[in-house]
Amino acid sequence: MLVIGLDNGHEKTYMDSMSAKHDQKPIYLDYQATTPTDPRVVDAMMPYFHEHFGNPHSRNHPYGWEAEEAIEKAREQVAHIINANPKEIIFTSGATESNNIAIKGVAKFYQERKNHIITCVTEHKCVLESCRHLSQDGFDITYLPVQENGLIDLDELRKAITDKTALISIMGVHNEIGVIQPLKEIGALAREHKVFFHSDCAQAVGKIPLDVQEMNIDLMSISGHKIYGPKGVGALFVRRKPRVRLAPMMSGGGQERGMRSGTLPTPLCVGLGEACAICEKEMAKENERLHSLHNQFIADIKSELSDVYINGDTTHRIPGNINISFAYVEGESLMMGIKDLSLSSGSACTSASLEPSYVLRALGVDEELAHTSLRIGLGRFTTKEQLKKAAQSIVSSVQKLREMSPLWEMAQEGIDISKIEWAHH
Amino acid sequence: MSYSDQLLDHYEKPRNIGSMDKQDKNVGTGLVGAPACGDVMKLQIKVNEKGVIEDAKFKTFGCGSAIASSSLVTEWVKGKTIDEAMAIKNTQIAEHLALPPVKIHCSILAEDAVKAAIKDYQDKNA
């Protein structure tokens, strides 16, 4: 049993605190949005708030030294999970900052010689927005399309590389559809053409084995809160050999090899390090467990419902993500029907925009189906029982909504909905 | 997003779900919206010899607001004459369900569905 260590003697077991709350709260199935901080991580962090509170950059007294020591241990833990050297890890506030520093920093540093960046249409918004920002400053950006399975075409990538290309930025594991891009192949191509390779691995670290040497990755973004660490901390791997240089985003005291000034948040860095260490140790076993949950869940759904589609490649994927569309049912109404589950919808109706998910559209998923997709995120604290309940809840809601869906009725009557001339509004 | 009790009530217990015979001369069918936009409403009315709507049925593919809007108008049109039903405004629907601004289009669609059903009935009986 896991224990949250509280020094006041009122130790509370983790399972107690979870089960009491879960009686009223919906089942959490949104692990790609964020993860609960693992109690073991919280334990590791606690001493660095009050007891060892020193500024890790203070060189003149033990308060600083002990904080620095903790930071350096965390740096090693982060480096270890991706087979990097600790000196190549800089701490940031999260993957969004890491992606900004990597893309804008490399672009700005090398802009005299190179002005071209290659990325992909399904990247996270912070990557796309960083690129858009650079294009306003005169950089050329190539947005690679994806295939139906969500993966990039390596031939397209090869064709896009020019002697002006400074950086290729392709994510490791997709936040919405869970597919794993061919990192090793991309890295080999990049190295062959002497182009830097950056990968947003916020959703990949701790879930798939990553090796920056074998994969020839030059920059990698890491997030704390996606891997059962705290929010507000992340890291960026910046290769030293061959050396990657970048222009810093913030001016300051020159911490983190001058790439990211600002006092490091010791407890958060310790938490990120511990989160990486736990993931590394448990990855193989946890993946096996999630695979079996993943397969069982899909089998449960498909045994009760027809016209169900899984989005994204079914083999090159992490087991913790299920992106699934239910034809003839609209996403937001489905979300309203499954209030006992907390998950995300690919439907437009959950946001202020009327566009369905740009990611699913990029895969070529019909708008109709994109509107009906759910992203189900499984993780460390997901149980078999929770998923059984979730499947039952989804099945009964879909059945109820199909009974009232005119599209389902037409489909049952054999009418081809795509042949009808709809009045778009 | 939090919804009003009226809206949730119509979503959870939708009134008048179903279909009537499209071929029946006394039945008018309206089909509005588009799957690609995320909502499609089918609304049917059955009009008696006095010109009064005696029954209404709907099926809706769409968000909770779209389902609630169409459920609500089926209740409203029942017992009304054609002219009275024509006078139903989307603003009344939006107000009754306290639709948030991004969902106003659902109420517009419900008004359109009523008008389309009436037009179909009138075309059949012209």
Side-chain angles (χ1 to χ4, degrees):
Chain A
M1 178 132 324
L2 306 170
V3 172
I4 300 173
L6 297 175
D7 276 348
N8 60 10
H10 297 286
E11 286 201 337
K12 203 172 177 188
T13 65
Y14 171 72
M15 293 313 281
D16 286 351
S17 68
M18 287 295 273
S19 58
K21 280 186 189 149
H22 272 206
D23 285 346
Q24 309 93 25
K25 274 191 159 180
I27 298 171
Y28 188 75
L29 292 171
D30 207 4
Y31 277 82
Q32 275 84 53
T34 193
T35 60
T37 308
D38 192 296
R40 292 169 289 182
V41 170
V42 177
D43 276 350
M45 290 169 66
M46 289 307 273
Y48 295 93
F49 285 99
H50 185 78
E51 205 181 334
H52 310 299
F53 65 90
N55 184 326
H57 313 294
S58 297
R59 290 286 158 82
N60 301 321
H61 50 68
Y63 293 92
W65 303 336
E66 61 191 17
E68 189 191 18
E69 199 179 313
I71 295 265
E72 294 315 314
K73 182 187 168 201
R75 207 186 292 282
E76 268 171 43
Q77 290 170 315
V78 175
H80 201 266
I81 198 172
I82 59 170
N83 193 25
N85 185 307
K87 289 181 182 148
E88 297 174 310
I89 301 297
I90 67 170
F91 287 106
T92 66
S93 64
T96 290
E97 189 190 346
S98 299
N99 286 335
N100 271 267
I101 295 176
I103 294 168
K104 293 179 189 168
V106 166
K108 293 274 155 101
F109 192 90
Y110 295 96
Q111 64 183 343
E112 302 291 306
R113 281 176 286 152
K114 294 179 165 189
N115 68 344
H116 178 226
I117 291 167
I118 301 172
T119 184
C120 165
V121 290
T122 53
E123 289 293 309
H124 192 274
K125 284 285 180 193
C126 66
V127 168
L128 296 176
E129 285 301 314
S130 292
C131 289
R132 198 190 316 279
H133 181 86
L134 287 170
S135 73
Q136 283 166 354
D137 289 349
F139 285 86
D140 287 331
I141 316 287
T142 299
Y143 298 94
L144 293 175
V146 288
Q147 306 168 87
E148 257 179 47
N149 59 6
L151 302 178
I152 63 158
D153 181 335
L154 290 164
D155 286 333
E156 297 269 345
L157 173 61
R158 184 190 295 276
K159 278 188 254 167
I161 300 172
T162 72
D163 55 2
K164 287 286 180 193
T165 308
L167 185 74
I168 296 169
S169 180
I170 302 288
M171 66 164 68
V173 168
H174 200 276
N175 51 307
E176 241 180 85
I177 52 175
V179 299
I180 305 169
Q181 296 288 358
L183 295 178
K184 196 177 165 186
E185 288 77 2
I186 298 168
L189 261 179
R191 187 58 57 89
E192 184 191 323
H193 291 88
K194 296 198 165 52
V195 175
F196 290 133
F197 174 29
H198 164 248
S199 186
D200 170 5
C201 284
Q203 303 279 356
V205 171
K207 303 191 181 104
I208 60 170
L210 290 168
D211 183 329
V212 292
Q213 308 309 338
E214 192 195 317
M215 293 170 164
N216 285 310
I217 295 171
D218 299 306
L219 300 115
M220 182 192 286
S221 302
I222 298 168
S223 165
H225 75 106
K226 307 289 191 191
I227 59 170
Y228 311 94
K231 293 169 181 62
V233 68
L236 178 65
F237 156 76
V238 186
R239 181 177 288 285
R240 294 173 85 219
K241 282 182 196 159
R243 188 173 176 199
V244 180
R245 308 190 63 181
L246 44 83
M249 297 288 106
M250 289 197 292
S251 311
Q255 291 91 347
E256 300 299 271
R257 291 165 57 208
M259 294 190 231
R260 206 280 190 174
S261 287
T263 299
L264 287 175
T266 314
L268 298 181
C269 296
V270 167
L272 175 60
E274 187 64 22
C276 286
I278 295 170
C279 280
E280 192 176 350
K281 197 167 71 201
E282 299 181 350
M283 192 188 313
K285 236 182 154 177
E286 175 66 356
N287 268 342
E288 208 175 295
R289 190 182 77 90
L290 289 177
H291 260 296
S292 120
L293 290 180
H294 178 112
N295 292 340
Q296 185 62 50
F297 179 81
I298 290 176
D300 286 352
I301 294 281
K302 287 196 165 174
S303 70
E304 298 285 334
L305 297 173
S306 64
D307 302 276
V308 171
Y309 305 92
I310 307 292
N311 299 307
D313 198 277
T314 48
T315 47
H316 298 100
R317 66 152 48 257
I318 55 159
N321 171 285
I322 302 167
N323 192 306
I324 186 167
S325 297
F326 303 90
Y328 316 116
V329 169
E330 193 277 335
E332 197 220 42
S333 62
L334 181 55
M335 296 285 279
M336 283 176 75
I338 49 175
K339 279 197 297 283
D340 51 337
L341 314 176
S342 290
L343 37 74
S344 287
S345 155
S347 165
C349 286
T350 51
S351 66
S353 91
L354 284 177
E355 296 296 314
S357 154
Y358 71 99
V359 173
L360 296 181
R361 294 293 292 135
L363 262 61
V365 174
D366 284 347
E367 276 191 62
E368 291 96 301
L369 276 178
H371 275 293
T372 70
S373 73
L374 297 180
R375 180 184 73 179
I376 298 157
L378 326 178
R380 189 174 288 168
F381 305 104
T382 308
T383 64
K384 209 170 158 180
E385 292 69 36
Q386 285 179 329
L387 276 185
K388 263 273 181 276
K389 262 190 170 168
Q392 283 164 359
S393 175
I394 290 169
V395 165
S396 75
S397 274
V398 169
Q399 283 169 340
K400 178 185 163 197
L401 290 168
R402 279 183 176 170
E403 276 312 303
M404 66 169 92
S405 166
L407 303 179
W408 174 251
E409 184 181 64
M410 288 179 207
Q412 302 313 300
E413 288 167 1
I415 298 169
D416 185 349
I417 291 163
S418 64
K419 297 275 172 353
I420 296 178
E421 280 206 23
W422 298 98
H424 284 256
H425 61 286
Chain B
M1 212 178 289
S2 71
Y3 289 121
S4 67
D5 291 343
Q6 289 94 317
L7 190 150
L8 291 174
D9 186 53
H10 275 281
Y11 168 79
E12 268 151 26
K13 297 185 292 270
R15 331 294 199 250
N16 306 310
I17 291 178
S19 293
M20 293 187 274
D21 181 8
K22 273 195 291 256
Q23 312 304 330
D24 186 337
K25 223 166 100 9
N26 298 321
V27 171
T29 302
L31 183 67
V32 295
C37 302
D39 29 33
V40 175
M41 285 181 193
K42 187 185 82 165
L43 192 139
Q44 295 183 301
I45 51 168
K46 189 173 200 175
V47 185
N48 67 18
E49 60 282 5
K50 291 180 198 133
V52 173
I53 299 170
E54 63 179 24
D55 200 7
K57 296 273 180 217
F58 86 95
K59 284 205 174 189
T60 289
F61 161 86
C63 58
S65 304
I67 291 170
S69 296
S70 37
S71 168
L72 178 67
V73 288
T74 56
E75 275 195 327
W76 280 2
V77 297
K78 274 205 228 177
K80 283 197 165 67
T81 64
I82 296 278
D83 287 346
E84 285 166 348
M86 279 300 273
I88 292 172
K89 290 269 176 296
N90 84 284
T91 46
Q92 298 166 309
I93 302 165
E95 195 182 334
H96 186 87
L97 297 172
L99 294 182
V102 295
K103 298 295 183 185
I104 297 300
H105 69 275
C106 297
S107 63
I108 296 173
L109 207 59
E111 181 190 322
D112 289 350
V114 173
K115 296 206 155 81
I118 292 172
K119 184 174 184 303
D120 182 58
Y121 168 78
Q122 286 172 334
D123 288 350
K124 272 186 191 166
N125 292 279

